[in-house]
Amino acid sequence: MNKTPNYDLTQWEQSDRILMTDFNADNAKLDAILASQQAALTAQGAAIAKCGNCQLYFTTYTGTGTYGTGSPSSLTFPGQPCFILIQSPEGSYLIALRGAAVYQALMSGTNSYFPGRLTWSGNTVSWNGDYAHSQMNTKDAVYRVLALLAADE
């Protein structure tokens, strides 16, 4: 009697006596191999699901003109934000990275950066600056917001 090279399964020759124990042993080997392959495919599927583990989210808001520590701006997202970009109508922008306590707002047409403070809580981020324009909250201005939300949270 011969065995297959990869899984050591029984290969009978014409003169061999065929036994039920050989069949059962081969079936047990095949079952173990298939179970192992299924587990590997399940693990691979879970890993693939985490690839590109972010979701793009776009929204807008209209500024109220308030600013400072007593009047923070805030946004609540449908998922946990990891990165936020806010752009003013004239092209100034604010970038916020999850966990950072401060941001820098770059004012359009200048090389001026204005610092501000960030607070993160679940799906909500709040920020405040020393001026309405650096807090991205100029009265009646419509701001565009692009966020990357964690899809694996």
Side-chain angles (χ1 to χ4, degrees):
M1 171 179 348
N2 294 320
K3 299 287 184 169
T4 61
N6 295 315
Y7 296 108
D8 201 35
L9 300 174
T10 306
Q11 291 280 279
W12 289 279
E13 294 184 15
Q14 186 115 16
S15 60
D16 290 336
R17 183 169 178 236
I18 298 172
L19 300 173
M20 180 177 65
T21 55
D22 293 330
F23 275 108
N24 290 345
D26 286 350
N27 284 339
K29 289 175 191 175
L30 290 172
D31 188 66
I33 291 164
L34 290 171
S36 172
Q37 291 296 313
Q38 181 61 45
L41 287 172
T42 299
Q44 187 176 38
I48 288 171
K50 289 188 174 185
C51 290
N53 65 345
C54 64
Q55 176 183 32
L56 291 176
Y57 178 77
F58 180 78
T59 191
T60 61
Y61 70 90
T62 302
T64 63
T66 61
Y67 61 92
T69 55
S71 299
S73 299
S74 70
L75 287 171
T76 299
F77 297 90
Q80 192 172 80
C82 297
F83 170 86
I84 301 167
L85 172 69
I86 301 174
Q87 185 179 31
S88 72
E90 67 275 349
S92 298
Y93 62 88
L94 176 157
I95 295 175
L97 296 173
R98 179 152 197 87
V102 297
Y103 69 86
Q104 296 284 332
L106 174 64
M107 298 298 104
S108 178
T110 71
N111 287 329
S112 300
Y113 288 90
F114 291 87
R117 290 154 298 285
L118 293 163
T119 305
W120 303 86
S121 178
N123 294 355
T124 300
V125 63
S126 301
W127 65 98
N128 61 75
D130 295 333
Y131 307 97
H133 66 279
S134 66
Q135 188 170 308
M136 300 293 160
N137 203 29
T138 301
K139 186 161 178 55
D140 298 326
V142 177
Y143 294 89
R144 294 180 300 259
V145 180
L146 174 65
L148 298 179
L149 308 179
D152 58 355
E153 293 292 322

